[in-house]
Amino acid sequence: MEPAQWKTALDTILQDQEASMLALLEELVGIDSPTAHADGVNRMGERLTAWLGEAGFQVRRLPKPPVPEDEAWQKDLGDVFTARTHAPEAGPGIAFIGHMDTVFPVGTAAARPFRLDRAADRATGPGVADMKAGLVAMLFAARALKQSGLLPCPLTLMFSPDEELGSPTASKALAAQLPGAMAVICAEPGGEGGKVTLSRKGSGHMHLKIQGKAAHAGRNYEEGASAVIELAHKILGINAFLDLPRGLTVNTGLVSGGISANSVAPWAEARIHLTYRTLEDGRRVVAGIRELVEKPVVPGTTAHISGGLRLYPLERSPQGDAFFELVREAGETLGMRLSGQHYESAAESGFCAGALGIPTICCMGPEGENIHTAQEYMLPSTLLPRCKLMALSALQAARAFGKQPRPSMLPPGADA
């Protein structure tokens, strides 16, 4: 059977599904699911897997992986959910991946609910593009593939709870569930004008803690050791790794510390985010930050830093380019003109390609822009076409790529 015939079969299955897709999208946007709100994230996972269970998929909520002792906060994150057409022993086959978490706090869904403006071709609401529309496209594409019987291999769907924080738990699940997959399709939002992503940065998250010594700031300042002053020195040192022409960002975005204005601060902490275009750059900066942290400036203070590289960069590769050609051909079959782009932020696609060695394409979800802002929007006219693109690209990849060899890789967290 040729791609045109596959398209006809998919068109028949999906021809009356757009209204149902939009209804499910409205439901998902109405669920507050910021990364740190495990209840909301897990509600998302339960809804997605219930839908897939009704469609005949084998669904599972994965147990939490071991949490590093110095990053106990990970215990409070949501869970990874999966769905499969076959038993795990059959292998992952083609994988669809997406994340359930957003950056918007609890209450945003009520304050800025889902809105659909057909005339303006706009759907709005928290996480509508990044990436709840992508999740809807994943579900309907997966069900269409199952109903059609056209996919000659297993299909695996994975739903991440913590991508916005670098997937500290989801990356472990990806490493456990996807080795040997034939290809990975990531449903991050596509760019307006038919853009899919061929390369994107990697990311890292680090947590710096400073221990000082309290003292009265007026009466006996000299007896204290200011953790806040030490943190200020550390932040300036860390910022020196910034190299924008190289595509390397280092940002200290959250700081706190001290107990009162007239006390020498006995503690301080900061959370640091970095992005990088090559794994080599990421590892170099993490090593440099660790070395910097080990050298105190304020006598009497000590410092500890946890975390490290989270999501590897999606770097251009021959197998990635070959996958894009298949996607481009699928787009042509659907009457879509697609182009590749580089994206200046990280996603789980980079981990699948870089750490697991799987042919991977990113930003296959419905098109949208202004993500992570109150102005985020998705183009509803692209919801069904992008769903069909995912399904047709999966059929192309299943015939072009064999089972990939299991990678020889560092375990997740080895770069931390």
Side-chain angles (χ1 to χ4, degrees), residues 363-396:
C363 295
M364 289 283 282
E367 297 172 19
E369 296 293 347
N370 297 339
I371 63 172
H372 292 200
T373 76
Q375 291 73 45
E376 178 180 8
Y377 66 87
M378 185 273 295
L379 303 181
S381 63
T382 68
L383 181 59
L384 186 56
R386 285 286 183 144
C387 172
K388 293 179 181 180
L389 179 66
M390 291 177 65
L392 192 54
S393 296
L395 292 172
Q396 295 270 65

PDB file of all heavy atoms in Angstrom, residues 363-396:
ATOM      1  N   CYS A 363       8.452  18.820  17.396  1.00  0.00           N
ATOM      2  CA  CYS A 363       7.490  19.861  17.024  1.00  0.00           C
ATOM      3  C   CYS A 363       6.555  19.392  15.919  1.00  0.00           C
ATOM      4  O   CYS A 363       6.265  20.111  14.965  1.00  0.00           O
ATOM      5  CB  CYS A 363       8.195  21.151  16.634  1.00  0.00           C
ATOM      6  SG  CYS A 363       9.096  21.902  18.006  1.00  0.00           S
ATOM      7  N   MET A 364       6.030  18.185  16.095  1.00  0.00           N
ATOM      8  CA  MET A 364       5.079  17.615  15.155  1.00  0.00           C
ATOM      9  C   MET A 364       3.640  17.926  15.545  1.00  0.00           C
ATOM     10  O   MET A 364       2.709  17.552  14.840  1.00  0.00           O
ATOM     11  CB  MET A 364       5.286  16.109  15.076  1.00  0.00           C
ATOM     12  CG  MET A 364       6.575  15.709  14.376  1.00  0.00           C
ATOM     13  SD  MET A 364       6.467  15.862  12.587  1.00  0.00           S
ATOM     14  CE  MET A 364       5.528  14.384  12.192  1.00  0.00           C
ATOM     15  N   GLY A 365       3.443  18.585  16.680  1.00  0.00           N
ATOM     16  CA  GLY A 365       2.101  18.903  17.132  1.00  0.00           C
ATOM     17  C   GLY A 365       1.485  20.060  16.369  1.00  0.00           C
ATOM     18  O   GLY A 365       2.130  20.689  15.515  1.00  0.00           O
ATOM     19  N   PRO A 366       0.225  20.383  16.679  1.00  0.00           N
ATOM     20  CA  PRO A 366      -0.438  21.528  16.048  1.00  0.00           C
ATOM     21  C   PRO A 366       0.361  22.805  16.237  1.00  0.00           C
ATOM     22  O   PRO A 366       1.078  22.979  17.229  1.00  0.00           O
ATOM     23  CB  PRO A 366      -1.788  21.588  16.775  1.00  0.00           C
ATOM     24  CG  PRO A 366      -2.028  20.171  17.206  1.00  0.00           C
ATOM     25  CD  PRO A 366      -0.678  19.633  17.564  1.00  0.00           C
ATOM     26  N   GLU A 367       0.236  23.715  15.298  1.00  0.00           N
ATOM     27  CA  GLU A 367       1.063  24.912  15.277  1.00  0.00           C
ATOM     28  C   GLU A 367       0.553  25.956  16.274  1.00  0.00           C
ATOM     29  O   GLU A 367      -0.649  26.114  16.477  1.00  0.00           O
ATOM     30  CB  GLU A 367       1.087  25.492  13.861  1.00  0.00           C
ATOM     31  CG  GLU A 367       1.721  24.544  12.854  1.00  0.00           C
ATOM     32  CD  GLU A 367       1.586  25.002  11.412  1.00  0.00           C
ATOM     33  OE1 GLU A 367       1.325  26.206  11.202  1.00  0.00           O
ATOM     34  OE2 GLU A 367       1.745  24.163  10.501  1.00  0.00           O
ATOM     35  N   GLY A 368       1.491  26.658  16.891  1.00  0.00           N
ATOM     36  CA  GLY A 368       1.144  27.702  17.838  1.00  0.00           C
ATOM     37  C   GLY A 368       2.370  28.512  18.199  1.00  0.00           C
ATOM     38  O   GLY A 368       3.498  28.134  17.874  1.00  0.00           O
ATOM     39  N   GLU A 369       2.148  29.615  18.890  1.00  0.00           N
ATOM     40  CA  GLU A 369       3.244  30.506  19.254  1.00  0.00           C
ATOM     41  C   GLU A 369       2.970  31.129  20.627  1.00  0.00           C
ATOM     42  O   GLU A 369       1.945  30.881  21.250  1.00  0.00           O
ATOM     43  CB  GLU A 369       3.407  31.614  18.212  1.00  0.00           C
ATOM     44  CG  GLU A 369       3.806  31.127  16.817  1.00  0.00           C
ATOM     45  CD  GLU A 369       5.201  30.543  16.739  1.00  0.00           C
ATOM     46  OE1 GLU A 369       5.988  30.721  17.699  1.00  0.00           O
ATOM     47  OE2 GLU A 369       5.519  29.903  15.712  1.00  0.00           O
ATOM     48  N   ASN A 370       3.935  31.950  21.073  1.00  0.00           N
ATOM     49  CA  ASN A 370       3.859  32.686  22.347  1.00  0.00           C
ATOM     50  C   ASN A 370       3.715  31.756  23.543  1.00  0.00           C
ATOM     51  O   ASN A 370       3.060  32.082  24.536  1.00  0.00           O
ATOM     52  CB  ASN A 370       2.708  33.700  22.344  1.00  0.00           C
ATOM     53  CG  ASN A 370       2.876  34.787  21.312  1.00  0.00           C
ATOM     54  OD1 ASN A 370       3.988  35.049  20.843  1.00  0.00           O
ATOM     55  ND2 ASN A 370       1.779  35.416  20.922  1.00  0.00           N
ATOM     56  N   ILE A 371       4.343  30.598  23.459  1.00  0.00           N
ATOM     57  CA  ILE A 371       4.237  29.639  24.559  1.00  0.00           C
ATOM     58  C   ILE A 371       4.887  30.217  25.818  1.00  0.00           C
ATOM     59  O   ILE A 371       5.765  31.065  25.758  1.00  0.00           O
ATOM     60  CB  ILE A 371       4.851  28.279  24.185  1.00  0.00           C
ATOM     61  CG1 ILE A 371       6.355  28.393  23.916  1.00  0.00           C
ATOM     62  CG2 ILE A 371       4.151  27.682  22.986  1.00  0.00           C
ATOM     63  CD1 ILE A 371       7.038  27.052  23.723  1.00  0.00           C
ATOM     64  N   HIS A 372       4.402  29.766  26.969  1.00  0.00           N
ATOM     65  CA  HIS A 372       4.861  30.204  28.294  1.00  0.00           C
ATOM     66  C   HIS A 372       4.431  31.637  28.605  1.00  0.00           C
ATOM     67  O   HIS A 372       4.985  32.251  29.509  1.00  0.00           O
ATOM     68  CB  HIS A 372       6.377  30.065  28.460  1.00  0.00           C
ATOM     69  CG  HIS A 372       6.863  28.647  28.499  1.00  0.00           C
ATOM     70  ND1 HIS A 372       8.084  28.282  29.032  1.00  0.00           N
ATOM     71  CD2 HIS A 372       6.301  27.497  28.082  1.00  0.00           C
ATOM     72  CE1 HIS A 372       8.239  26.978  28.927  1.00  0.00           C
ATOM     73  NE2 HIS A 372       7.167  26.474  28.353  1.00  0.00           N
ATOM     74  N   THR A 373       3.484  32.170  27.868  1.00  0.00           N
ATOM     75  CA  THR A 373       2.993  33.526  28.133  1.00  0.00           C
ATOM     76  C   THR A 373       1.470  33.505  28.137  1.00  0.00           C
ATOM     77  O   THR A 373       0.829  32.552  27.664  1.00  0.00           O
ATOM     78  CB  THR A 373       3.469  34.542  27.074  1.00  0.00           C
ATOM     79  OG1 THR A 373       2.701  34.366  25.868  1.00  0.00           O
ATOM     80  CG2 THR A 373       4.946  34.377  26.765  1.00  0.00           C
ATOM     81  N   ALA A 374       0.900  34.622  28.640  1.00  0.00           N
ATOM     82  CA  ALA A 374      -0.560  34.752  28.624  1.00  0.00           C
ATOM     83  C   ALA A 374      -1.097  34.906  27.211  1.00  0.00           C
ATOM     84  O   ALA A 374      -2.309  34.767  26.981  1.00  0.00           O
ATOM     85  CB  ALA A 374      -0.985  35.946  29.476  1.00  0.00           C
ATOM     86  N   GLN A 375      -0.224  35.179  26.245  1.00  0.00           N
ATOM     87  CA  GLN A 375      -0.636  35.354  24.851  1.00  0.00           C
ATOM     88  C   GLN A 375      -0.497  34.066  24.022  1.00  0.00           C
ATOM     89  O   GLN A 375      -0.628  34.086  22.799  1.00  0.00           O
ATOM     90  CB  GLN A 375       0.183  36.475  24.189  1.00  0.00           C
ATOM     91  CG  GLN A 375      -0.136  37.868  24.713  1.00  0.00           C
ATOM     92  CD  GLN A 375       0.410  38.117  26.106  1.00  0.00           C
ATOM     93  OE1 GLN A 375       1.556  37.786  26.407  1.00  0.00           O
ATOM     94  NE2 GLN A 375      -0.416  38.691  26.984  1.00  0.00           N
ATOM     95  N   GLU A 376      -0.233  32.949  24.685  1.00  0.00           N
ATOM     96  CA  GLU A 376      -0.079  31.675  23.977  1.00  0.00           C
ATOM     97  C   GLU A 376      -1.332  31.352  23.157  1.00  0.00           C
ATOM     98  O   GLU A 376      -2.453  31.547  23.614  1.00  0.00           O
ATOM     99  CB  GLU A 376       0.171  30.555  24.989  1.00  0.00           C
ATOM    100  CG  GLU A 376       0.290  29.171  24.383  1.00  0.00           C
ATOM    101  CD  GLU A 376       0.535  28.106  25.440  1.00  0.00           C
ATOM    102  OE1 GLU A 376       0.465  28.425  26.641  1.00  0.00           O
ATOM    103  OE2 GLU A 376       0.793  26.950  25.064  1.00  0.00           O
ATOM    104  N   TYR A 377      -1.116  30.840  21.948  1.00  0.00           N
ATOM    105  CA  TYR A 377      -2.251  30.436  21.128  1.00  0.00           C
ATOM    106  C   TYR A 377      -1.875  29.243  20.265  1.00  0.00           C
ATOM    107  O   TYR A 377      -0.701  28.958  20.010  1.00  0.00           O
ATOM    108  CB  TYR A 377      -2.744  31.591  20.248  1.00  0.00           C
ATOM    109  CG  TYR A 377      -1.757  32.044  19.191  1.00  0.00           C
ATOM    110  CD1 TYR A 377      -1.720  31.435  17.933  1.00  0.00           C
ATOM    111  CD2 TYR A 377      -0.866  33.088  19.446  1.00  0.00           C
ATOM    112  CE1 TYR A 377      -0.819  31.852  16.969  1.00  0.00           C
ATOM    113  CE2 TYR A 377       0.035  33.505  18.479  1.00  0.00           C
ATOM    114  CZ  TYR A 377       0.054  32.884  17.242  1.00  0.00           C
ATOM    115  OH  TYR A 377       0.953  33.286  16.288  1.00  0.00           O
ATOM    116  N   MET A 378      -2.919  28.549  19.812  1.00  0.00           N
ATOM    117  CA  MET A 378      -2.776  27.431  18.892  1.00  0.00           C
ATOM    118  C   MET A 378      -3.687  27.686  17.710  1.00  0.00           C
ATOM    119  O   MET A 378      -4.762  28.273  17.852  1.00  0.00           O
ATOM    120  CB  MET A 378      -3.163  26.130  19.606  1.00  0.00           C
ATOM    121  CG  MET A 378      -2.938  24.855  18.804  1.00  0.00           C
ATOM    122  SD  MET A 378      -4.329  24.389  17.722  1.00  0.00           S
ATOM    123  CE  MET A 378      -5.613  24.029  18.893  1.00  0.00           C
ATOM    124  N   LEU A 379      -3.253  27.273  16.523  1.00  0.00           N
ATOM    125  CA  LEU A 379      -4.060  27.429  15.320  1.00  0.00           C
ATOM    126  C   LEU A 379      -4.959  26.204  15.162  1.00  0.00           C
ATOM    127  O   LEU A 379      -4.479  25.124  14.788  1.00  0.00           O
ATOM    128  CB  LEU A 379      -3.160  27.570  14.090  1.00  0.00           C
ATOM    129  CG  LEU A 379      -2.131  28.704  14.109  1.00  0.00           C
ATOM    130  CD1 LEU A 379      -1.337  28.717  12.806  1.00  0.00           C
ATOM    131  CD2 LEU A 379      -2.799  30.047  14.334  1.00  0.00           C
ATOM    132  N   PRO A 380      -6.253  26.328  15.454  1.00  0.00           N
ATOM    133  CA  PRO A 380      -7.130  25.157  15.381  1.00  0.00           C
ATOM    134  C   PRO A 380      -7.215  24.543  13.985  1.00  0.00           C
ATOM    135  O   PRO A 380      -7.495  23.346  13.847  1.00  0.00           O
ATOM    136  CB  PRO A 380      -8.485  25.683  15.854  1.00  0.00           C
ATOM    137  CG  PRO A 380      -8.393  27.158  15.823  1.00  0.00           C
ATOM    138  CD  PRO A 380      -6.960  27.510  15.972  1.00  0.00           C
ATOM    139  N   SER A 381      -6.934  25.335  12.963  1.00  0.00           N
ATOM    140  CA  SER A 381      -6.953  24.790  11.598  1.00  0.00           C
ATOM    141  C   SER A 381      -5.862  23.750  11.379  1.00  0.00           C
ATOM    142  O   SER A 381      -5.913  22.990  10.404  1.00  0.00           O
ATOM    143  CB  SER A 381      -6.791  25.915  10.578  1.00  0.00           C
ATOM    144  OG  SER A 381      -5.523  26.556  10.735  1.00  0.00           O
ATOM    145  N   THR A 382      -4.870  23.709  12.273  1.00  0.00           N
ATOM    146  CA  THR A 382      -3.767  22.743  12.119  1.00  0.00           C
ATOM    147  C   THR A 382      -3.937  21.506  12.993  1.00  0.00           C
ATOM    148  O   THR A 382      -3.108  20.598  12.923  1.00  0.00           O
ATOM    149  CB  THR A 382      -2.418  23.406  12.445  1.00  0.00           C
ATOM    150  OG1 THR A 382      -2.350  23.716  13.854  1.00  0.00           O
ATOM    151  CG2 THR A 382      -2.219  24.681  11.632  1.00  0.00           C
ATOM    152  N   LEU A 383      -4.965  21.464  13.817  1.00  0.00           N
ATOM    153  CA  LEU A 383      -5.114  20.353  14.770  1.00  0.00           C
ATOM    154  C   LEU A 383      -5.281  19.016  14.047  1.00  0.00           C
ATOM    155  O   LEU A 383      -4.524  18.062  14.298  1.00  0.00           O
ATOM    156  CB  LEU A 383      -6.305  20.629  15.692  1.00  0.00           C
ATOM    157  CG  LEU A 383      -6.608  19.587  16.774  1.00  0.00           C
ATOM    158  CD1 LEU A 383      -5.412  19.400  17.701  1.00  0.00           C
ATOM    159  CD2 LEU A 383      -7.842  20.009  17.573  1.00  0.00           C
ATOM    160  N   LEU A 384      -6.232  18.925  13.168  1.00  0.00           N
ATOM    161  CA  LEU A 384      -6.463  17.668  12.450  1.00  0.00           C
ATOM    162  C   LEU A 384      -5.360  17.373  11.435  1.00  0.00           C
ATOM    163  O   LEU A 384      -4.886  16.224  11.360  1.00  0.00           O
ATOM    164  CB  LEU A 384      -7.836  17.707  11.773  1.00  0.00           C
ATOM    165  CG  LEU A 384      -8.297  16.416  11.091  1.00  0.00           C
ATOM    166  CD1 LEU A 384      -8.281  15.245  12.056  1.00  0.00           C
ATOM    167  CD2 LEU A 384      -9.694  16.612  10.493  1.00  0.00           C
ATOM    168  N   PRO A 385      -4.894  18.351  10.647  1.00  0.00           N
ATOM    169  CA  PRO A 385      -3.795  18.046   9.724  1.00  0.00           C
ATOM    170  C   PRO A 385      -2.532  17.546  10.423  1.00  0.00           C
ATOM    171  O   PRO A 385      -1.875  16.623   9.939  1.00  0.00           O
ATOM    172  CB  PRO A 385      -3.548  19.386   9.015  1.00  0.00           C
ATOM    173  CG  PRO A 385      -4.869  20.076   9.053  1.00  0.00           C
ATOM    174  CD  PRO A 385      -5.455  19.704  10.385  1.00  0.00           C
ATOM    175  N   ARG A 386      -2.195  18.142  11.564  1.00  0.00           N
ATOM    176  CA  ARG A 386      -0.997  17.682  12.279  1.00  0.00           C
ATOM    177  C   ARG A 386      -1.206  16.285  12.872  1.00  0.00           C
ATOM    178  O   ARG A 386      -0.267  15.491  12.966  1.00  0.00           O
ATOM    179  CB  ARG A 386      -0.622  18.679  13.361  1.00  0.00           C
ATOM    180  CG  ARG A 386       0.028  19.958  12.837  1.00  0.00           C
ATOM    181  CD  ARG A 386       1.468  19.698  12.390  1.00  0.00           C
ATOM    182  NE  ARG A 386       2.149  20.902  11.944  1.00  0.00           N
ATOM    183  CZ  ARG A 386       3.452  21.147  12.147  1.00  0.00           C
ATOM    184  NH1 ARG A 386       4.196  20.278  12.778  1.00  0.00           N
ATOM    185  NH2 ARG A 386       3.997  22.249  11.698  1.00  0.00           N
ATOM    186  N   CYS A 387      -2.411  15.982  13.279  1.00  0.00           N
ATOM    187  CA  CYS A 387      -2.726  14.630  13.736  1.00  0.00           C
ATOM    188  C   CYS A 387      -2.486  13.625  12.612  1.00  0.00           C
ATOM    189  O   CYS A 387      -1.849  12.583  12.805  1.00  0.00           O
ATOM    190  CB  CYS A 387      -4.181  14.592  14.214  1.00  0.00           C
ATOM    191  SG  CYS A 387      -4.814  12.953  14.590  1.00  0.00           S
ATOM    192  N   LYS A 388      -2.969  13.934  11.430  1.00  0.00           N
ATOM    193  CA  LYS A 388      -2.754  13.052  10.276  1.00  0.00           C
ATOM    194  C   LYS A 388      -1.276  12.961   9.920  1.00  0.00           C
ATOM    195  O   LYS A 388      -0.780  11.889   9.536  1.00  0.00           O
ATOM    196  CB  LYS A 388      -3.553  13.561   9.079  1.00  0.00           C
ATOM    197  CG  LYS A 388      -5.058  13.460   9.245  1.00  0.00           C
ATOM    198  CD  LYS A 388      -5.776  14.004   8.019  1.00  0.00           C
ATOM    199  CE  LYS A 388      -7.285  13.939   8.172  1.00  0.00           C
ATOM    200  NZ  LYS A 388      -7.989  14.482   6.977  1.00  0.00           N
ATOM    201  N   LEU A 389      -0.559  14.080  10.063  1.00  0.00           N
ATOM    202  CA  LEU A 389       0.877  14.071   9.765  1.00  0.00           C
ATOM    203  C   LEU A 389       1.612  13.117  10.699  1.00  0.00           C
ATOM    204  O   LEU A 389       2.501  12.370  10.260  1.00  0.00           O
ATOM    205  CB  LEU A 389       1.443  15.488   9.909  1.00  0.00           C
ATOM    206  CG  LEU A 389       2.943  15.628   9.653  1.00  0.00           C
ATOM    207  CD1 LEU A 389       3.288  15.332   8.198  1.00  0.00           C
ATOM    208  CD2 LEU A 389       3.425  17.037  10.037  1.00  0.00           C
ATOM    209  N   MET A 390       1.267  13.128  11.979  1.00  0.00           N
ATOM    210  CA  MET A 390       1.903  12.218  12.925  1.00  0.00           C
ATOM    211  C   MET A 390       1.641  10.771  12.538  1.00  0.00           C
ATOM    212  O   MET A 390       2.556   9.930  12.539  1.00  0.00           O
ATOM    213  CB  MET A 390       1.400  12.500  14.336  1.00  0.00           C
ATOM    214  CG  MET A 390       1.858  13.824  14.914  1.00  0.00           C
ATOM    215  SD  MET A 390       1.158  14.158  16.549  1.00  0.00           S
ATOM    216  CE  MET A 390       1.911  12.840  17.493  1.00  0.00           C
ATOM    217  N   ALA A 391       0.397  10.474  12.205  1.00  0.00           N
ATOM    218  CA  ALA A 391       0.047   9.098  11.866  1.00  0.00           C
ATOM    219  C   ALA A 391       0.733   8.642  10.586  1.00  0.00           C
ATOM    220  O   ALA A 391       1.302   7.536  10.518  1.00  0.00           O
ATOM    221  CB  ALA A 391      -1.470   8.980  11.736  1.00  0.00           C
ATOM    222  N   LEU A 392       0.699   9.474   9.550  1.00  0.00           N
ATOM    223  CA  LEU A 392       1.302   9.091   8.274  1.00  0.00           C
ATOM    224  C   LEU A 392       2.823   8.995   8.391  1.00  0.00           C
ATOM    225  O   LEU A 392       3.452   8.109   7.798  1.00  0.00           O
ATOM    226  CB  LEU A 392       0.902  10.100   7.198  1.00  0.00           C
ATOM    227  CG  LEU A 392       1.192   9.717   5.735  1.00  0.00           C
ATOM    228  CD1 LEU A 392       0.590   8.365   5.392  1.00  0.00           C
ATOM    229  CD2 LEU A 392       0.660  10.791   4.796  1.00  0.00           C
ATOM    230  N   SER A 393       3.437   9.882   9.191  1.00  0.00           N
ATOM    231  CA  SER A 393       4.890   9.819   9.402  1.00  0.00           C
ATOM    232  C   SER A 393       5.269   8.549  10.155  1.00  0.00           C
ATOM    233  O   SER A 393       6.326   7.959   9.897  1.00  0.00           O
ATOM    234  CB  SER A 393       5.353  11.053  10.179  1.00  0.00           C
ATOM    235  OG  SER A 393       5.127  12.237   9.440  1.00  0.00           O
ATOM    236  N   ALA A 394       4.424   8.128  11.090  1.00  0.00           N
ATOM    237  CA  ALA A 394       4.678   6.874  11.800  1.00  0.00           C
ATOM    238  C   ALA A 394       4.666   5.695  10.832  1.00  0.00           C
ATOM    239  O   ALA A 394       5.516   4.785  10.922  1.00  0.00           O
ATOM    240  CB  ALA A 394       3.638   6.676  12.901  1.00  0.00           C
ATOM    241  N   LEU A 395       3.724   5.697   9.905  1.00  0.00           N
ATOM    242  CA  LEU A 395       3.671   4.617   8.916  1.00  0.00           C
ATOM    243  C   LEU A 395       4.904   4.629   8.016  1.00  0.00           C
ATOM    244  O   LEU A 395       5.453   3.564   7.679  1.00  0.00           O
ATOM    245  CB  LEU A 395       2.401   4.759   8.071  1.00  0.00           C
ATOM    246  CG  LEU A 395       1.082   4.500   8.813  1.00  0.00           C
ATOM    247  CD1 LEU A 395      -0.105   4.869   7.937  1.00  0.00           C
ATOM    248  CD2 LEU A 395       0.989   3.045   9.249  1.00  0.00           C
ATOM    249  N   GLN A 396       5.352   5.818   7.638  1.00  0.00           N
ATOM    250  CA  GLN A 396       6.567   5.929   6.828  1.00  0.00           C
ATOM    251  C   GLN A 396       7.779   5.398   7.594  1.00  0.00           C
ATOM    252  O   GLN A 396       8.587   4.625   7.074  1.00  0.00           O
ATOM    253  CB  GLN A 396       6.808   7.406   6.463  1.00  0.00           C
ATOM    254  CG  GLN A 396       5.755   8.026   5.570  1.00  0.00           C
ATOM    255  CD  GLN A 396       6.080   7.856   4.099  1.00  0.00           C
ATOM    256  OE1 GLN A 396       6.104   6.740   3.583  1.00  0.00           O
ATOM    257  NE2 GLN A 396       6.325   8.955   3.418  1.00  0.00           N
TER     258      GLN A 396
END
